[in-house]
Coordinates of all heavy atoms in Angstrom, one line a residue:
D1 N 44.8 -200.5 106.1 CA 45.2 -201.2 104.9 C 44.8 -200.4 103.7 O 43.6 -200.1 103.5 CB 44.5 -202.6 104.8 CG 45.0 -203.4 103.7 OD1 45.8 -203.0 102.8 OD2 44.6 -204.6 103.6
T2 N 45.7 -200.0 102.9 CA 45.5 -199.1 101.7 C 45.5 -199.8 100.4 O 45.5 -199.2 99.3 CB 46.5 -197.9 101.7 OG1 47.8 -198.4 101.6 CG2 46.3 -197.0 102.9
T3 N 45.6 -201.1 100.4 CA 45.7 -201.9 99.2 C 44.5 -202.9 99.1 O 44.2 -203.6 100.1 CB 47.0 -202.7 99.2 OG1 48.1 -201.9 99.4 CG2 47.2 -203.4 97.8
A4 N 43.8 -202.9 97.9 CA 42.7 -203.8 97.7 C 43.3 -205.2 97.5 O 44.4 -205.3 97.0 CB 41.8 -203.4 96.5
A5 N 42.7 -206.2 97.9 CA 41.6 -206.5 98.7 C 42.0 -206.3 100.2 O 43.0 -206.7 100.6 CB 41.2 -208.0 98.6
Y6 N 41.2 -205.5 100.9 CA 41.5 -205.0 102.2 C 41.3 -206.1 103.3 O 40.3 -206.8 103.3 CB 40.6 -203.8 102.5 CG 40.7 -202.7 101.4 CD1 39.7 -202.6 100.4 CD2 41.8 -201.9 101.3 CE1 39.8 -201.7 99.4 CE2 41.9 -200.9 100.3 CZ 41.0 -200.8 99.4 OH 41.1 -199.9 98.4
G7 N 42.2 -206.1 104.2 CA 42.1 -207.1 105.3 C 43.3 -207.0 106.2 O 44.3 -206.4 105.9
I8 N 43.2 -207.6 107.4 CA 44.3 -207.7 108.3 C 44.2 -209.1 108.9 O 43.2 -209.8 108.9 CB 44.2 -206.6 109.4 CG1 43.0 -206.8 110.3 CG2 44.4 -205.3 108.9 CD1 43.0 -206.0 111.6
S9 N 45.3 -209.5 109.5 CA 45.3 -210.8 110.3 C 45.0 -210.4 111.7 O 45.5 -209.5 112.3 CB 46.6 -211.4 110.2 OG 46.9 -211.9 108.9
L10 N 44.1 -211.2 112.3 CA 43.7 -211.0 113.7 C 44.4 -212.1 114.5 O 44.2 -213.3 114.4 CB 42.2 -211.2 113.9 CG 41.7 -211.0 115.3 CD1 41.9 -209.7 115.9 CD2 40.2 -211.4 115.3
I11 N 45.3 -211.7 115.4 CA 46.1 -212.6 116.3 C 45.3 -212.7 117.6 O 45.3 -211.8 118.4 CB 47.5 -212.1 116.5 CG1 48.2 -211.9 115.2 CG2 48.3 -213.0 117.4 CD1 49.6 -211.2 115.2
T12 N 44.6 -213.8 117.7 CA 43.7 -214.0 118.8 C 44.3 -214.1 120.2 O 43.7 -213.8 121.2 CB 42.7 -215.2 118.6 OG1 43.5 -216.4 118.5 CG2 42.0 -215.0 117.3
N13 N 45.6 -214.6 120.2 CA 46.2 -214.8 121.6 C 46.6 -213.5 122.2 O 47.0 -213.4 123.3 CB 47.3 -215.8 121.6 CG 48.3 -215.7 120.5 OD1 48.0 -215.1 119.5 ND2 49.4 -216.3 120.7
S14 N 46.3 -212.4 121.5 CA 46.5 -211.0 122.1 C 45.2 -210.6 122.7 O 45.1 -209.5 123.3 CB 47.0 -210.0 121.1 OG 46.1 -209.8 120.1
L15 N 44.1 -211.3 122.5 CA 42.8 -211.0 123.0 C 42.4 -212.0 124.1 O 42.9 -213.1 124.2 CB 41.7 -211.1 121.9 CG 41.9 -210.3 120.6 CD1 40.9 -210.7 119.6 CD2 41.8 -208.8 121.0
T16 N 41.5 -211.5 125.0 CA 40.9 -212.4 126.0 C 40.0 -213.4 125.4 O 39.4 -213.1 124.3 CB 40.2 -211.6 127.1 OG1 39.2 -210.8 126.5 CG2 41.2 -210.6 127.8
N17 N 39.8 -214.5 126.0 CA 38.8 -215.5 125.6 C 37.4 -214.8 125.8 O 37.2 -214.1 126.7 CB 38.9 -216.8 126.3 CG 40.1 -217.6 125.9 OD1 40.6 -217.4 124.8 ND2 40.4 -218.5 126.8
G18 N 36.5 -215.1 124.8 CA 35.2 -214.5 125.0 C 34.7 -213.9 123.7 O 35.3 -214.0 122.6
T19 N 33.6 -213.1 123.7 CA 33.0 -212.5 122.6 C 33.6 -211.1 122.3 O 33.8 -210.3 123.2 CB 31.5 -212.3 122.8 OG1 30.9 -213.6 123.1 CG2 30.8 -211.7 121.6
H20 N 33.9 -210.9 121.0 CA 34.5 -209.6 120.6 C 33.7 -209.1 119.3 O 33.2 -210.0 118.6 CB 36.0 -209.7 120.2 CG 36.8 -210.1 121.4 ND1 37.3 -209.1 122.3 CD2 37.2 -211.3 121.9 CE1 38.0 -209.8 123.2 NE2 37.9 -211.1 123.0
T21 N 33.6 -207.8 119.2 CA 32.9 -207.3 118.0 C 33.9 -206.6 117.1 O 34.7 -205.8 117.5 CB 31.8 -206.2 118.5 OG1 31.0 -206.9 119.4 CG2 31.0 -205.7 117.3
L22 N 33.8 -206.9 115.8 CA 34.7 -206.4 114.8 C 33.9 -205.5 113.8 O 32.8 -205.8 113.5 CB 35.4 -207.5 114.0 CG 36.1 -208.6 114.8 CD1 36.6 -209.6 113.8 CD2 37.3 -208.0 115.5
T23 N 34.5 -204.4 113.5 CA 34.0 -203.5 112.4 C 35.2 -203.0 111.5 O 36.3 -203.1 111.9 CB 33.3 -202.2 113.0 OG1 34.3 -201.5 113.8 CG2 32.1 -202.6 113.8
A24 N 34.8 -202.5 110.4 CA 35.8 -202.0 109.5 C 35.4 -200.6 109.1 O 34.2 -200.3 108.9 CB 36.0 -202.8 108.2
T25 N 36.3 -199.6 109.0 CA 36.0 -198.3 108.6 C 36.7 -198.0 107.3 O 37.9 -198.2 107.2 CB 36.4 -197.3 109.7 OG1 35.8 -197.6 110.9 CG2 36.1 -195.8 109.3
A26 N 35.9 -197.5 106.3 CA 36.5 -197.2 105.0 C 36.6 -195.7 104.9 O 35.8 -194.9 105.4 CB 35.6 -197.7 103.9
R27 N 37.7 -195.2 104.3 CA 38.0 -193.8 104.1 C 38.3 -193.5 102.6 O 39.2 -194.3 102.1 CB 39.1 -193.3 105.0 CG 39.5 -191.9 104.9 CD 40.6 -191.5 105.8 NE 41.8 -192.3 105.6 CZ 42.7 -192.1 104.6 NH1 42.5 -191.1 103.8 NH2 43.8 -192.8 104.6
D28 N 37.7 -192.5 102.0 CA 38.0 -192.2 100.6 C 39.1 -191.1 100.6 O 39.5 -190.6 101.7 CB 36.8 -191.8 99.8 CG 36.1 -190.6 100.3 OD1 36.7 -189.8 101.0 OD2 35.0 -190.4 99.9
T29 N 39.6 -190.8 99.4 CA 40.7 -189.8 99.3 C 40.2 -188.4 99.8 O 41.1 -187.5 100.1 CB 41.2 -189.7 97.9 OG1 40.1 -189.4 97.0 CG2 41.8 -191.0 97.5
S30 N 39.0 -188.1 99.9 CA 38.5 -186.8 100.4 C 38.3 -186.8 101.9 O 38.0 -185.8 102.5 CB 37.1 -186.5 99.8 OG 37.2 -186.4 98.4
G31 N 38.6 -188.0 102.6 CA 38.4 -188.1 104.0 C 37.1 -188.5 104.5 O 36.9 -188.6 105.7
N32 N 36.2 -188.8 103.6 CA 34.8 -189.3 104.0 C 35.0 -190.7 104.6 O 35.7 -191.5 104.0 CB 33.9 -189.3 102.9 CG 33.7 -187.9 102.3 OD1 33.4 -186.9 103.1 ND2 33.9 -187.7 101.0
T33 N 34.3 -191.1 105.6 CA 34.4 -192.4 106.2 C 33.0 -193.0 106.4 O 32.0 -192.3 106.5 CB 35.0 -192.4 107.6 OG1 34.3 -191.6 108.5 CG2 36.5 -191.9 107.5
T34 N 33.0 -194.4 106.4 CA 31.8 -195.1 106.7 C 32.2 -196.4 107.5 O 33.3 -196.9 107.2 CB 30.9 -195.4 105.5 OG1 29.7 -196.0 105.9 CG2 31.6 -196.4 104.6
T35 N 31.4 -196.8 108.4 CA 31.7 -198.0 109.2 C 30.8 -199.2 108.8 O 29.6 -199.0 108.7 CB 31.6 -197.7 110.7 OG1 32.5 -196.6 111.0 CG2 32.0 -198.9 111.5
S36 N 31.4 -200.3 108.7 CA 30.6 -201.5 108.3 C 29.7 -201.9 109.5 O 29.9 -201.5 110.6 CB 31.6 -202.7 108.0 OG 32.2 -203.1 109.2
T37 N 28.8 -202.8 109.2 CA 28.0 -203.4 110.3 C 29.0 -204.3 111.1 O 30.0 -204.8 110.6 CB 26.8 -204.3 109.7 OG1 27.4 -205.3 108.8 CG2 25.8 -203.4 109.0
S38 N 28.6 -204.5 112.3 CA 29.5 -205.3 113.2 C 29.4 -206.8 113.0 O 28.3 -207.3 112.6 CB 29.3 -204.9 114.7 OG 27.9 -205.3 115.0
V39 N 30.5 -207.4 113.3 CA 30.5 -208.9 113.2 C 31.0 -209.4 114.6 O 32.0 -208.8 115.1 CB 31.5 -209.4 112.1 CG1 31.6 -210.9 112.2 CG2 31.0 -209.0 110.8
T40 N 30.3 -210.3 115.2 CA 30.7 -210.9 116.5 C 31.5 -212.1 116.3 O 31.1 -213.0 115.5 CB 29.4 -211.1 117.3 OG1 28.7 -209.9 117.5 CG2 29.8 -211.6 118.7
V41 N 32.6 -212.2 117.0 CA 33.4 -213.4 116.9 C 33.6 -213.9 118.4 O 33.6 -213.1 119.3 CB 34.8 -213.2 116.2 CG1 34.6 -212.9 114.8 CG2 35.6 -212.2 116.9
T42 N 33.8 -215.2 118.6 CA 34.2 -215.7 119.9 C 35.6 -216.2 119.8 O 35.9 -217.1 119.0 CB 33.2 -216.9 120.3 OG1 31.9 -216.3 120.3 CG2 33.5 -217.4 121.7
V43 N 36.4 -215.7 120.7 CA 37.8 -216.1 120.8 C 37.9 -217.2 121.9 O 37.4 -217.0 123.0 CB 38.7 -214.9 121.2 CG1 40.1 -215.4 121.4 CG2 38.7 -213.9 120.0
S44 N 38.5 -218.3 121.6 CA 38.7 -219.4 122.5 C 40.2 -219.9 122.3 O 40.4 -220.9 121.6 CB 37.7 -220.5 122.3 OG 38.0 -221.5 123.2
N45 N 41.1 -219.2 122.9 CA 42.5 -219.6 122.9 C 42.7 -220.8 123.9 O 42.3 -220.7 125.0 CB 43.4 -218.5 123.3 CG 43.4 -217.3 122.3 OD1 43.5 -217.5 121.1 ND2 43.2 -216.1 122.8
S46 N 43.3 -221.8 123.4 CA 43.5 -223.0 124.3 C 44.7 -222.7 125.2 O 45.6 -221.9 124.8 CB 43.8 -224.2 123.5 OG 45.0 -224.1 122.7
T47 N 44.6 -223.2 126.4 CA 45.7 -223.0 127.4 C 46.6 -224.3 127.3 O 46.1 -225.4 127.3 CB 45.1 -222.9 128.8 OG1 44.2 -221.8 128.8 CG2 46.2 -222.7 129.8
P48 N 47.9 -224.1 127.1 CA 48.7 -225.3 127.0 C 48.7 -226.1 128.3 O 48.6 -225.6 129.4 CB 50.1 -224.7 126.8 CG 50.1 -223.2 127.1 CD 48.6 -222.9 127.1

């Protein structure tokens, strides 16, 4: 995502149920990167 405020939509039904870890990596115009601290989420997609 190259436009502030940065973000994406997470479509959980493409993931398995359970715990997942999310991070974000930022890159500046010189190519320098840094990775955020991780965030843990639990996916619980209901079964019809």
Side-chain angles (χ1 to χ4, degrees):
D1 185 355
T2 59
T3 308
Y6 305 101
I8 63 165
S9 293
L10 179 63
I11 302 172
T12 63
N13 44 341
S14 65
L15 301 173
T16 58
N17 287 340
T19 303
H20 297 272
T21 303
L22 306 176
T23 60
T25 301
R27 180 181 55 81
D28 66 17
T29 56
S30 300
N32 300 309
T33 61
T34 189
T35 302
S36 69
T37 56
S38 63
V39 174
T40 301
V41 297
T42 302
V43 173
S44 180
N45 294 309
S46 62
T47 303

